[in-house]
Amino acid sequence: MNKAIVSLLIPAALALMPVAAGAAPKAAAADIVRHKIPGSDFPIALAVTVPSTATIHFVSGQVPAIADAGAAPDSLAAFGDTKTQSESVLKKIKEVLEGMKLDMTDVVKMTVYLVGDPAKGGKADTKGFMEAYTQHFGGAQTKLPARAVVQVAALSNPGWLVEIEVVAAKK
């Protein structure tokens, strides 16, 4: 870059620094904002804004616990249908968060991976997932996360139909 331009830009940038520093306290007072989907009561947020004053926690993908110990450990019978697996995974996430002194209301982003259920013709059982999800989000729990649900070809255990990862934030 031309030295003359740089010599003009550096003083201009330095002159702006007190303005930016003065704006910081205003941002520090900001809360986590959950933007509703306009005209919808669907239990997810359109977007979530997390201020710089919040601590962000990335929770690794959680998978279901064994529901039937007598079944083969890599079978659907061992882990149950999508609803059963989703309930198990959400319970694990709740326990992980509680261990971090957080709870489900602190979840700001959720990514859900669903494997197609053979009993549903290979389609993801989003209805079964939503039955479990709405036990934690929606209704009385109004702090909804932004969320994506995707169907994947498989997870690392052939018996798993669900894996969920979350991002939580707390001021």
Side-chain angles (χ1 to χ4, degrees), residues 9-100:
L9 289 177
I10 291 175
L14 291 173
L16 291 174
M17 286 178 71
V19 172
K26 190 179 239 182
D31 288 327
I32 295 170
V33 179
R34 294 157 195 274
H35 306 274
K36 293 183 66 92
I37 299 172
S40 174
D41 63 353
F42 195 70
I44 65 170
L46 176 66
V48 178
T49 303
V50 178
S52 62
T53 56
T55 301
I56 299 173
H57 309 268
F58 297 86
V59 179
S60 294
Q62 299 297 305
V63 295
I66 292 178
D68 180 356
D74 61 351
S75 69
L76 286 176
F79 297 96
D81 62 9
T82 299
K83 180 182 176 188
T84 301
Q85 290 193 27
S86 297
E87 289 170 342
S88 170
V89 172
L90 290 165
K91 180 181 177 208
K92 280 180 151 181
I93 289 169
K94 184 178 179 183
E95 290 168 355
V96 168
L97 292 171
E98 287 171 350
M100 299 168 67

